[in-house]
């Protein structure tokens, strides 16, 4: 009983795989199968007839013009069913016509089968002979003729027959392109890693030179799924040839792990014998030497039993993997269809499609600006989407470079920073040529501040522009010194802003590609509405950066920050401390200065030196206040506001409101489906439907 149940289970697996093949799943997912290949006139048709019990009608050539799937099933009733499995790229009308073709016979009848084959030939647009002058016909096709043979004596076996390889075209019937097409068709079936290759070759040729073996070796280099089938042994009379064949069958010079079998074909003039007659004649033939030495590998019954076991073994082994492949492909189809969105045949569906893209874009952007990177897996796969992290890092770099190198000359009191010139805001305009007329074209190299006493340079400025003041200095002198001391600010800020724009531009491009995988829609969306608005946003940021520069460097020097006065007093105290150092007296209780000495203290300086020192102290005090204020203003206003937070800024451009404002013409231009997209959607839907049906078959639904 257990053995019988196992047999039923095995038959169920084979039946399911046959149904998958009917759904054309085998075109995308390798299925376990037996494929018979060989040259024309190799005896391939006779082998198939003996294996399946199906004799192709005499005079019919269609069985050699396309792949033929022959399935034997054990049933209580007898019959033959002929149908067509359409090629994958058949359009809907042709597919319906091919699927509608189905013919049934209760028994084998040569004339009836010949008529059925002729009808199938007409449906598949196959040229039957050289007298067909219809230009719409072909010599070979990619549809599959399906033949099902049922009967109580049958055992489950499915064999795929492919056209025999030929090398010379027949004028009026085949062409050189047909030679190549058949060869490629045979190679495609052999390439399937779940296929057992039955390489059919006649005994009366040099096996080593057979092209079919070379093709099998290309597809199966290790020879683990190729079986040799030697035909026409009755035509071999030479002793040496018989020995060579024995060596092959015995495995003495056999690279094929599945080995060789020998079968005897029916004679060319034998048109009356039955299958039973031929089996009897074959057994009698192999009972004579030298075939008795390899009796277990001679005859169609031995071959059939071995093939049935092979097919069952590979089917049981690969069945779970086939199911996993189908689930994987179905998920890919669904993902692709989801990325395409719903059908966009009218303005409502088009607006809804783009609205979803815009909403997704803004949701992710909100997370990017808040640093909530765990909210979407895109942040892990696309590092450029971590926008706020990148801009904060850039702003810190600006602050650092301003502190170290933003001034033209070193102040007397500050420490020096060793190092070469820096390019803290490098970006490459060749990556985004569309930004050439927006951002600064040149990369700024920031040099070290100049050495030397800044008081000496201030003295030069003072002498060239002093007024009538006595013991003081006019505001223009401090403004002139500050403008010169801050002359690097413009290049640094414009380079920083340009780099920030590049970061934002990269972010928008990467995110748009992620939320809108359709390149055509993305390109139309970008070119039609986005880029012009992005350029406007970038220019507003640069314009505000220039406004802040002008305000800080060209306007009236002004501050209400108490830090300015405290720094100025500290600078003056430092200068006085130098004088105090020479007046102090050391004692056991510490150092001290007499009050009367302080009252009589004078510093030997001329008026110009004193004024220039006051200018230097005021300049350094004001510069530090202005520097901190300016850096914060640039980072907060130019980048944070104009590039990131402004509701009309670049990262806020693609919004649902923008999509709602589009007129019908622009909407259709951006989101309307062209013929290619419609075809792609249709193909994906058909593939998903077939894969879904395949899963139902595997689950037994």
């Amino acid at each position: 009983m257990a053995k019988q149940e196992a047999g039923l289970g095995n038959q169920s697996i084979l039946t399911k795989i046959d149904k998958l093949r009917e759904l054309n799943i085998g075109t995308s997912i390798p299925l376990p199968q037996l494929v018979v290949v060989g040259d024309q006139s190799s005896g391939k048709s006779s082998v198939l007839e003996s294996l399946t019990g199906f004799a192709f009608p005499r005079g019919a050539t269609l069985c050699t013009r396309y792949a033929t799937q022959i399935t034997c099933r054990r049933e209580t009733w007898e019959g033959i069913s002929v149908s067509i499995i359409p090629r994958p790229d058949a359009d809907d009308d042709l597919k319906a016509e091919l699927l509608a073709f189905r013919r049934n016979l209760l028994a084998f009848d040569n004339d009836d089968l010949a008529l059925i084959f002729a009808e199938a030939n007409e449906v598949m647009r196959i040229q039957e002979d050289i007298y067909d002058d219809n230009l719409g016909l072909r010599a070979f096709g990619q549809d599959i003729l399906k033949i099902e043979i049922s009967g109580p004596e049958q055992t489950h076996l499915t064999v795929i027959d492919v056209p025999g390889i030929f090398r010379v075209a027949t004028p009026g019937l085949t062409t050189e392109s047909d030679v190549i097409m058949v060869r490629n068709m045979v190679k495609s079936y052999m390439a399937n890693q779940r296929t057992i290759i039955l390489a059919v070759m006649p005994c009366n040729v040099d096996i080593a030179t057979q092209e079919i073996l070379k093709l099998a070796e290309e597809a199966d280099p290790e020879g683990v799924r190729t079986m040799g089938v030697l035909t026409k042994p009755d035509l071999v009379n030479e002793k040496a040839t018989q020995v060579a064949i024995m060596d092959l069958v015995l495995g003495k010079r056999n690279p094929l792990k599945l080995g060789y079998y020998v079968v005897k074909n029916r004679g060319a003039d034998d048109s009356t014998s039955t299958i039973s007659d031929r089996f009897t004649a074959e057994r009698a033939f192999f009972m004579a030497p030298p075939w008795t030495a390899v009796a277990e590998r001679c005859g169609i019954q031995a071959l059939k039993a071995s093939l049935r076991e092979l097919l069952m073994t590979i089917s049981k082994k690969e069945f779970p993997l086939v199911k996993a492949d189908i689930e994987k492909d179905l998920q890919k189809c669904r993902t692709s269809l989801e990325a395409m969105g719903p059908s966009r045949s009218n303005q409502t569906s088009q607006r809804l499609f783009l609205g979803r893209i815009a909403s997704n874009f803004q949701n992710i952007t909100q997370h990017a600006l808040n640093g909530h990177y765990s909210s979407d897996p895109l942040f892990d796969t696309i590092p450029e989407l971590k926008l706020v992290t990148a801009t904060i890092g850039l702003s810190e770099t600006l602050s650092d470079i301003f502190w170290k190198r933003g001034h033209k000359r070193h102040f007397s009191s500050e420490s020096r920073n060793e190092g070469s010139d820096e390019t803290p805001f490098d970006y490459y305009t060749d990556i985004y040529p569309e930004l050439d007329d927006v951002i600064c074209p040149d990369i700024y190299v920031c040099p070290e501040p100049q050495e030397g006493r800044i008081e000496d340079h201030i003295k030069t400025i003072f002498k060239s522009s002093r007024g009538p003041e006595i013991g003081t200095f006019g505001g223009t002198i401090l403004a002139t010194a500050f403008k010169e001391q801050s002359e690097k600010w413009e290049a640094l800020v414009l380079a920083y802003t340009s780099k920030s724009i590049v970061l934002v531009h990269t972010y928008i491009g990467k995110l748009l590609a992620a939320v809108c995988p359709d390149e055509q829609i993305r390109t139309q969306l970008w070119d039609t509405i986005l880029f012009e608005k992005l350029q406007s946003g970038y220019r507003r940021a640069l314009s505000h950066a220039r406004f802040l520069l002008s305000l800080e460097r060209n306007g009236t020097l002004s501050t209400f920050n108490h830090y300015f006065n405290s720094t100025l007093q500290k600078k003056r105290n430092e200068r006085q401390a130098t004088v105090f150092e020479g007046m102090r007296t050391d004692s056991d209780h510490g150092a001290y200065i007499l009050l009367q000495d302080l009252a009589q203290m004078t510093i030997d300086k001329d008026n110009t030196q004193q004024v220039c020192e006051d200018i230097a102290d005021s300049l350094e005090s004001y510069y530090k206040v202005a520097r901190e204020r300016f850096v914060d203003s640039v980072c907060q206003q130019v980048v944070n506001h104009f590039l990131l937070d402004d509701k009309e800024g670049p990262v806020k451009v693609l919004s649902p409101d923008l999509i709602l404002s589009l007129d019908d013409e622009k909407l259709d231009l951006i989101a309307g489906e062209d013929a290619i997209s419609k075809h792609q959607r249709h193909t994906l839907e058909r593939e998903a439907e077939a894969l879904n049906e395949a899963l139902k078959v595997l689950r037994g639904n």
Side-chain angles (χ1 to χ4, degrees), residues 270-483:
D270 181 4
S271 60
T272 59
S273 64
T274 64
I275 293 290
S276 179
D277 292 338
R278 290 195 289 276
F279 285 165
T280 301
E282 185 184 53
R283 281 196 299 269
F285 176 81
F286 286 123
M287 289 177 67
W291 311 109
T292 50
V294 289
E296 70 279 0
R297 283 187 170 263
C298 290
I300 200 67
Q301 298 289 20
L303 173 62
K304 192 172 183 178
S306 178
L307 291 179
R308 194 162 51 241
E309 184 65 30
L310 274 174
L311 182 60
M312 182 52 60
T313 300
I314 190 173
S315 297
K316 291 173 69 174
K317 174 186 174 184
E318 297 292 334
F319 192 80
L321 301 178
V322 169
K323 182 174 181 291
D325 287 348
I326 290 174
E327 290 174 339
K328 181 180 177 182
D329 279 16
L330 180 58
Q331 184 58 46
K332 286 171 61 178
C333 269
R334 288 171 174 168
T335 301
S336 298
L337 282 169
E338 185 177 342
M340 293 186 72
S343 177
R344 305 184 301 278
S345 56
N346 54 53
Q347 280 76 28
T348 300
S349 59
Q350 292 165 3
R351 204 176 299 277
L352 179 62
F353 173 75
L354 291 182
R356 287 173 178 170
I357 291 176
S359 295
N360 196 15
F361 188 97
Q362 287 306 319
N363 287 337
I364 295 174
T365 294
Q366 196 59 46
H367 295 313
L369 295 179
N370 292 330
H372 297 164
Y373 302 136
S374 61
S375 61
D376 196 291
L378 280 177
F379 292 111
D380 294 326
T381 57
I382 310 176
E384 293 88 349
L385 297 188
K386 297 182 177 180
L387 183 58
V388 74
T389 299
T391 54
I392 287 175
L394 203 63
S395 297
E396 288 179 340
T397 300
L398 178 70
S399 177
D400 186 58
I401 202 71
F402 255 75
W403 175 65
K404 291 179 179 178
R405 295 167 177 259
H407 42 289
K408 182 176 181 178
R409 290 180 173 82
H410 280 301
F411 290 104
S412 301
S413 62
E414 68 185 358
S415 59
R416 304 304 195 251
N417 293 297
E418 298 294 333
S420 58
D421 296 346
E422 291 186 2
T423 54
F425 308 116
D426 56 324
Y427 50 89
Y428 304 96
T429 55
D430 56 339
I431 298 178
Y432 299 117
E434 67 269 24
L435 297 181
D436 283 350
D437 60 345
V438 178
I439 63 177
C440 297
D442 300 319
I443 302 299
Y444 178 60
V445 179
C446 185
E448 274 277 347
Q450 296 176 10
E451 297 291 345
R453 296 180 73 253
I454 195 170
E455 288 88 348
D456 295 338
H457 181 68
I458 288 175
K459 186 179 294 185
T460 301
I461 297 175
F462 177 72
K463 288 182 177 180
S464 66
S465 55
R466 65 186 299 179
E469 301 90 354
I470 298 176
T472 60
F473 57 89
T476 57
I477 295 178
L478 186 59
T480 300
F482 176 77
K483 186 171 184 179

